[in-house]
Amino acid sequence: MSAERHGQNEAATDDMSWAEVTPDAARRLLIAAVQAFAERGYHATTTRDIASRAGMSPAALYIHYRTKEDLLLRISRIGHEKALEILRDAAAGEGTASERLSEAVRSFVRWHAARHLTARVVQYELDSLGEEHRPEIVALRRESDATVREIINDGVKAGEFDVPDVPGTTLAVLSLCIDVARWFNTEGRRTPDEVGALYADLVLRMVGARVS
C-alpha cells in the first residue's frame, strides 16, 4: 500500500467532524491540512499540498486562512479545547476519585486513538507555532494538567491513591495518554475503546488505587 493510500485510509477513520468550522470550503481546507500535517509534518507541508488535497487552487486557501500557521492554530485550538472538555466532564462527574480518573483516562485515550491524525497534529506540532500563538495553546495544556492533577489530589486526600509526587505523576499520566496518537494503528488488534480501557487500568495501578 502506498503512503498516500495509507494516509487516505487513516483519514477515513479519523471521524473528527469539525462542524464548528464554516463555510464548507474552510472546513475542507482544514481537514486537508490535518491529513497533510499528520502525514508529512507541518514544515514539510506547503499550502499547495493542502489546497490540492482539498481539491482547490492555492489561491483559494488564502480566502479563508491568512497563512499556513493560521490553519495550524485553528486545528490546535479546537483539538485542545475538545480534549480539555473530555477531561473536565470526567472530573466533574459523580463517583470516587478512582472512578473519575478512570473515566478521564479512558475517554482521553479513546479520543486520541479515534482521532489519531488530528491528535498527532494537535499534540506534536506545538513548536511549529510562533511566539504570537504558542502561549494560547500552552495555556490550554496547563488547564488539562490542572484538571487531571485535581482528580489525583482528590484521590490522595481521600486515601484512594498513594502518590508522593502529584505533579510528576500527572505529567506521566498525560504523556502516556497523548502518546497513543503517535502509535495507534487502525489495522491493529485493539480498538480505541479497548486501548482506553487498558490505559485506565494501567493508570489506576500507577497511582496505587485498588483495581478490581
Side-chain angles (χ1 to χ4, degrees):
M1 182 184 294
S2 69
E4 181 179 358
R5 182 60 179 272
H6 178 68
Q8 290 172 347
N9 288 346
E10 277 203 309
T13 68
D14 192 324
D15 57 354
M16 189 90 162
S17 69
W18 303 103
E20 59 274 88
V21 180
T22 56
D24 179 67
R27 182 166 55 253
R28 285 165 54 198
L29 286 163
L30 186 141
I31 292 170
V34 168
Q35 295 169 7
F37 294 159
E39 181 183 324
R40 306 186 62 186
Y42 174 80
H43 292 294
T45 298
T46 67
T47 53
R48 184 176 294 275
D49 293 332
I50 296 167
S52 176
R53 285 173 182 259
M56 302 181 192
S57 69
L61 186 146
Y62 296 106
I63 296 173
H64 303 283
Y65 302 97
R66 292 180 305 161
T67 64
K68 184 175 73 167
E69 186 176 337
D70 277 355
L71 262 169
L72 178 59
L73 176 63
R74 190 85 188 273
I75 294 165
S76 296
R77 182 190 296 124
I78 293 173
H80 276 89
E81 287 173 346
K82 287 186 178 298
L84 177 58
E85 181 181 5
I86 288 168
L87 294 174
R88 283 178 168 167
D89 285 348
E94 297 181 356
T96 65
S98 295
E99 290 169 337
R100 288 184 287 126
L101 182 60
S102 177
E103 178 58 25
V105 171
R106 182 183 293 107
S107 301
F108 198 58
V109 166
R110 187 169 57 226
W111 187 86
H112 280 79
R115 279 81 170 177
H116 55 282
L117 291 186
T118 297
R120 201 177 301 162
V121 177
V122 167
Q123 300 294 0
Y124 292 105
E125 290 289 358
L126 175 64
D127 289 341
S128 297
L129 291 171
E131 291 299 326
E132 178 185 357
H133 297 136
R134 194 179 304 136
E136 176 185 350
I137 304 305
V138 169
L140 288 170
R141 289 192 178 203
R142 286 175 177 163
E143 290 185 48
S144 292
D145 181 282
T147 302
V148 174
R149 189 169 64 247
E150 181 181 359
I151 301 174
I152 296 176
N153 270 322
D154 287 348
V156 171
K157 292 175 182 176
E160 294 180 49
F161 302 158
D162 180 12
V163 179
D165 182 352
V166 172
T169 301
T170 300
L171 177 60
V173 168
L174 287 171
S175 297
L176 184 71
C177 297
I178 287 167
D179 196 54
V180 170
R182 182 184 58 79
W183 62 259
F184 185 80
N185 185 342
T186 55
E187 298 176 1
R189 64 189 183 92
R190 285 194 172 97
T191 66
D193 283 337
E194 289 169 340
V195 177
L198 171 64
Y199 275 49
D201 180 77
L202 289 172
V203 167
L204 289 181
R205 295 178 190 277
M206 281 175 57
V207 299
R210 182 177 299 174
V211 180
S212 58

